[in-house]
Amino acid sequence: MTCHDFRGIAVSPIISKVFEYCILEKFNKFLTSCDVQFGFKKGLGCRNAIYTVRKTVDRFVDGGSTVNICSIDLNKAFDKVNHSALYIKLMKRNIPVELLGLLENWLSSCFACVKWHCSWSFAFKVSSGVRQGSVLSPYLFAVYVDDVGKLFNVHFGTYIVLYADDILLLAPSVTVLQRLLEACEEELNSIDMVINIKKSSCMRIGSRHDKMCAKITMCDGGELPWVDEIRYLGVVIIRGAKFKCSIDKAKRSFYRAANGIFAKIGRLASEEVMVQLLKQKCLPILLYALDVCNLDKRSMQSLDFTFNRFFMKLFKTSNMEIVNCCQKVFGCDLPSTLLKQRFEKFIATL
């Protein structure tokens, strides 16, 4: 292990969070972010961001273009927010002086200590970052990186999708993607943010996805690799002629969770309890955000088979008629049916 494996936890009293909610209610208009930022907004979530990426890629591919995607990871984004740069961003929004002074006092009065077993370190001042777990922190961070989301207006034909500190750049050519990355890196450097090159990469989707192309370079000379898959918000997007997501990780995670529960209580609990735990704890892992990924028929069948396999194990049978009867009795729909229902509900809400 290294020191980078550990992260501080901010503990705030209830009165502090109530006060932050009051600030949000009164001054919310100063803490808004652009439409391409899907994080920290009521009614929006990871599925909205993934659906936007999918529809944008489909638009490129249907037009005969090969979309070039760059996934950017920021190095400890929340913990490295430069307070002075944040104040400048807020002042450009004409934030009231009293509120600015309050936030300055709020952020400059943060202290932390390290607890190891029964021992405590001396308290030390936290001079950068916003507290994870705070009510205001997500909104302040969205303001902090908001100008990154506005860069697509400068470079015609490009798109940017943000979810908190997860940034996805989309461009119709490698040259345009290089320019967009340079503009994004320039803006991030101005706010003292660093791109983690080890977790950033590029990928192509479209008719020319398998063609060799020039390398994408950063200002310091580092090169971003061209990869076959990108993990974005828990979904694995794979290189190909059209937008496609891999379900292998979802299946492995489902088996791991289901087998873990079965190993603990499978021989002690009733079938009703096991099925309920399967529906509440394991099925969401299998279906996470796949309803907006437009899975093909083969992937749907693979998900159904994964679900049926555990019912075979639980009821000790390989007879599909018995498995289907048990699923009907316990009110369990197949993943393909659930995904269709969820997508219809998502579109209706959208």
Side-chain angles (χ1 to χ4, degrees), residues 249-268:
K249 183 180 181 301
K251 289 163 57 178
R252 289 196 300 268
S253 300
F254 171 82
Y255 279 130
R256 189 181 301 114
N259 290 331
I261 294 175
F262 189 81
K264 292 290 184 180
I265 62 171
R267 303 306 177 188
L268 302 175

Side-chain angles (χ1 to χ4, degrees), residues 182-232:
E182 291 173 356
C184 182
E185 192 173 5
E186 182 180 355
E187 171 61 27
L188 291 173
N189 288 336
S190 69
I191 59 176
D192 205 17
M193 281 279 125
V194 180
I195 296 178
N196 187 352
I197 192 172
K198 294 182 179 180
K199 295 184 179 181
S200 302
S201 57
C202 302
M203 187 180 68
R204 289 161 60 86
I205 299 178
S207 58
R208 295 174 57 83
H209 67 91
D210 55 346
K211 303 298 182 180
M212 293 290 294
C213 52
K215 294 183 179 180
I216 302 296
T217 59
M218 298 177 60
C219 296
D220 60 358
E223 297 179 348
L224 298 183
W226 291 96
V227 296
D228 295 329
E229 61 181 35
I230 288 177
R231 184 177 179 182
Y232 181 67

Side-chain angles (χ1 to χ4, degrees), residues 26-43:
K26 188 170 181 63
F27 300 103
N28 185 51
K29 63 180 180 180
F30 297 104
L31 302 175
T32 57
S33 54
C34 58
D35 293 337
V36 299
Q37 173 64 267
F38 291 89
F40 323 125
K41 292 183 178 179
K42 186 177 181 180

